[in-house]
Amino acid sequence: MSTTPLKRKPIPMLMTASHRLALAQDRLLVANDLDINQLQTGLSGLWARGADYGDLYFELTTRDAWSLERGKVARAAFSISQGVGARAVNGDNTAFAYSSDISQKAISAITAAARSMQAQGQDAGATGRGVAIAGVARDARAYPAIEAAGGMDSVEKVALLQRLDQMARAIDPRIIEVSAQLSVEDTTVLVAATDGTLAGDVRPLVRLDISVIAESPSKRSTGAAGGGGRFALSEFSADRLEKMVRKATSIALTNLGAKPSPAGEMTVILGSGFPGVLLHEAVGHGLEGDFHRKRESVFNGMIGQQIAAAGVNVFDDATLPEARGSLNVDDEGVAGQRNLLIEDGRLVGLMHDKTSARLMGCSATGNGRRQSYADLPMPRMTNTFLDNGSYDPQEIIASVRNGIYAVEFSGGTVDITSGQFNFSAEQAFLIENGKVTAAIEGATLIGVGNQTLKSISMIGNDLALDGGVALCGKHGQMVAVGVGQPTIRIDNVVVGGAKG
């Protein structure tokens, strides 16, 4: 089985779990006149009679966002949010309260509220086991504890966006509109739990996007590209910026000459990188533990069974250096991990938070994630990808007599219970006699996740993650993720499109 590493560069080893914990304590406890003893008291108060677990989750986030349209700043925003959430869990029942105030008074109030909700129908006179918490011994060390802005001030941020605008317009006079956006986010979290967990993390996150409009005498088309991850904004090199601009403009300019997509059942080749979003949506969510515990996944009860073609290996990996979905520790204080989900086509693992792990009798996998301190954690993906195979991408293309080569995707939908999905291709081409020919538009891939996995017949050796722009929604919560895959061939895919 291939176990290809996806790496950008080494992460400084001085960024240890204890170092991150110390920073988190300083920013979230010391800054608010709190200490470890007060956390232990709050946790002890969460344990009503019969409660299985309780935790406190502290968070401080600053966000800085800028957008440029027609060469001018169209929007600038800066925000600071902070708060603490208290959770008490008994079996499958959860009581949760939160406050935007981080203080001893707030902790007492929200733990009392959670304890009261949890104790309904129980012996309300029961309480309080003592809690001893200690710093986690290790974490994933996937990114350093740095400031996401990387020292760039407002003038430099605007200049970066203006540079994207100028680069795009210089490529072709048919590029008539350019918009660019950047976001910079710094989050510090601290988790303390009744199982003894005490963990902290400092999470930088940057994202840079460009979208363009191209115009010909008879048509307009759009193109977009972006990049980001858990590194400093100052690390966007000239080469990285040029690749983003050329990708966005290439999509728009190519689609000016695109013809309507054919429709019907055919062979489809998916390009490397972001097309892995199809795997993420059509398969990944179905491997999250809560959907299995509630018997809502199309893959329910299939551990150990063949659910994909031979050679299909799928990982969820929170340890990838500086990747958008990486986590040193998850939002329950569990170290980020590399989890094998599908091995040679067999379902071998699921993604768990502490609740699904406890109720299903297995170990947490570092996939407990929440949108903010005001939300409950649940099993979520981090960086999910299909691993390398052995074929050269050109060999895969040459194997197809007639089909479609889908390079980029836009929107899509999936039903977790049935596995049915549809995804729209943003950039796609015809394959005729083993060669990529005309650009097409309007192609929509339609299928069922588990059936599509079994229809993968060739897997390339060009594994790549998306550029660092993926965002995942579940039960109203949005979190940053990574998706990826090598070039793959899928047989007998239903393609919706207008017949030319």
Side-chain angles (χ1 to χ4, degrees):
M1 183 190 71
S2 173
T3 56
T4 305
L6 280 166
K7 294 184 178 180
R8 188 176 281 112
K9 69 176 186 179
I11 302 299
M13 295 306 291
L14 60 90
M15 302 297 178
T16 64
S18 59
H19 179 222
R20 277 183 277 270
L21 177 57
L23 286 174
Q25 287 178 293
D26 184 60
R27 296 174 184 178
L28 290 164
L29 298 186
V30 176
N32 293 289
D33 296 321
L34 295 172
D35 58 34
I36 295 298
N37 291 331
Q38 290 166 314
L39 298 194
Q40 293 179 149
T41 300
L43 289 172
S44 180
L46 282 174
W47 260 351
R49 185 186 298 273
D52 299 319
Y53 173 86
D55 62 17
L56 293 169
Y57 176 83
F58 297 82
E59 182 182 81
L60 169 64
T61 298
T62 62
R63 295 183 179 90
D64 190 11
W66 296 79
S67 64
L68 194 78
E69 295 180 7
R70 297 183 175 88
K72 297 180 179 180
V73 175
R75 179 177 178 271
F78 177 80
S79 66
I80 300 176
S81 64
Q82 68 171 21
V84 55
R87 177 174 59 146
V89 183
N90 183 11
D92 202 17
N93 299 316
T94 299
F96 179 64
Y98 64 91
S99 172
S100 59
D101 175 29
I102 299 179
S103 66
Q104 179 59 50
K105 181 178 180 181
I107 292 173
S108 297
I110 62 174
T111 54
R115 182 176 66 246
S116 176
M117 287 184 282
Q118 185 64 59
Q120 293 301 314
Q122 302 179 25
D123 181 356
T127 77
R129 291 165 278 178
V131 178
I133 52 179
V136 295
R138 66 177 183 88
D139 59 18
R141 300 188 184 185
Y143 42 87
I146 59 173
E147 290 188 359
M152 292 180 65
D153 60 23
S154 299
V155 173
E156 291 171 306
K157 293 170 186 174
V158 173
L160 178 61
L161 295 178
Q162 290 174 330
R163 185 177 179 185
L164 287 175
D165 179 276
Q166 294 162 2
M167 291 170 68
R169 294 181 188 277
I171 285 180
D172 193 292
R174 290 174 292 175
I175 302 297
I176 61 168
E177 294 288 349
V178 180
S179 62
Q181 302 83 33
L182 69 80
S183 63
V184 179
E185 183 175 304
D186 290 285
T187 299
T188 303
V189 303
L190 180 70
V191 186
T194 55
D195 60 7
T197 296
L198 179 63
D201 198 13
V202 178
R203 302 169 179 168
L205 186 64
V206 297
R207 177 170 171 173
L208 190 60
D209 295 280
I210 180 172
S211 58
V212 303
I213 298 176
E215 185 178 61
S216 69
S218 59
K219 188 178 181 181
R220 277 191 172 194
S221 62
T222 61
R230 297 198 181 278
F231 52 86
L233 187 63
S234 55
E235 291 190 29
F236 275 102
S237 64
D239 180 62
R240 183 177 286 178
L241 295 179
E242 183 177 0
K243 287 180 179 178
M244 284 176 50
V245 170
R246 290 198 173 278
K247 179 177 179 180
T249 54
S250 173
I251 292 172
L253 293 170
T254 299
N255 284 342
L256 280 179
K259 62 182 185 180
S261 170
E265 189 174 276
M266 62 191 74
T267 299
V268 172
I269 293 178
L270 302 184
S272 65
F274 190 72
V277 69
L278 190 151
L279 174 80
H280 168 101
E281 294 289 357
V283 178
H285 280 299
L287 303 185
E288 291 169 338
D290 53 346
F291 288 126
H292 281 253
R293 175 168 55 87
K294 299 173 183 178
R295 301 183 181 277
E296 296 175 352
S297 170
V298 68
F299 300 106
N300 182 62
M302 299 180 70
I303 291 289
Q305 296 183 28
Q306 197 81 17
I307 66 167
V312 171
N313 299 295
V314 176
F315 290 88
D316 183 84
D317 193 346
T319 71
L320 298 180
E322 298 185 344
R324 179 171 170 83
S326 291
L327 295 171
N328 290 322
V329 294
D330 72 2
D331 295 331
E332 296 180 306
V334 178
Q337 299 172 32
R338 178 180 172 91
N339 297 304
L340 178 59
L341 305 176
I342 300 174
E343 182 177 25
D344 198 22
R346 292 184 305 109
L347 178 59
V348 297
L350 302 174
M351 292 167 280
H352 293 289
D353 63 358
K354 287 183 177 179
T355 297
S356 68
R358 183 176 62 255
L359 294 176
M360 295 182 70
C362 51
S363 299
T365 59
N367 291 95
R369 306 190 64 185
R370 62 177 95 201
Q371 179 173 281
S372 78
Y373 69 89
D375 300 290
L376 282 168
M378 66 183 90
R380 303 292 299 272
M381 285 173 276
T382 59
N383 303 300
T384 310
F385 60 90
L386 170 64
D387 203 10
N388 262 334
S390 59
Y391 288 97
D392 182 277
Q394 293 304 314
E395 184 181 2
I396 298 176
I397 293 171
S399 73
V400 178
R401 180 174 177 81
N402 291 293
I404 286 178
Y405 178 36
V407 181
E408 296 291 338
F409 284 99
S410 51
T413 61
V414 63
D415 181 273
I416 300 300
T417 303
S418 67
Q420 294 182 337
F421 66 83
N422 68 79
F423 284 88
S424 300
E426 183 181 20
Q427 185 178 39
F429 302 86
L430 290 178
I431 301 176
E432 299 174 291
N433 296 317
K435 296 184 181 299
V436 177
T437 59
I440 57 175
E441 61 182 354
T444 300
L445 307 190
I446 303 167
V448 179
N450 56 337
Q451 295 176 8
T452 299
L453 282 177
K454 293 179 179 179
S455 298
I456 296 174
S457 58
M458 300 176 78
I459 303 174
N461 58 10
D462 59 338
L463 170 63
L465 281 186
D466 72 290
V469 298
L471 196 63
C472 175
K474 178 180 176 180
H475 298 331
Q477 294 190 41
M478 305 297 291
V479 296
V481 297
V483 300
Q485 65 174 43
T487 299
I488 61 174
R489 170 176 165 158
I490 309 177
D491 298 324
N492 305 316
V493 179
V494 175
V495 177
K499 292 184 178 180

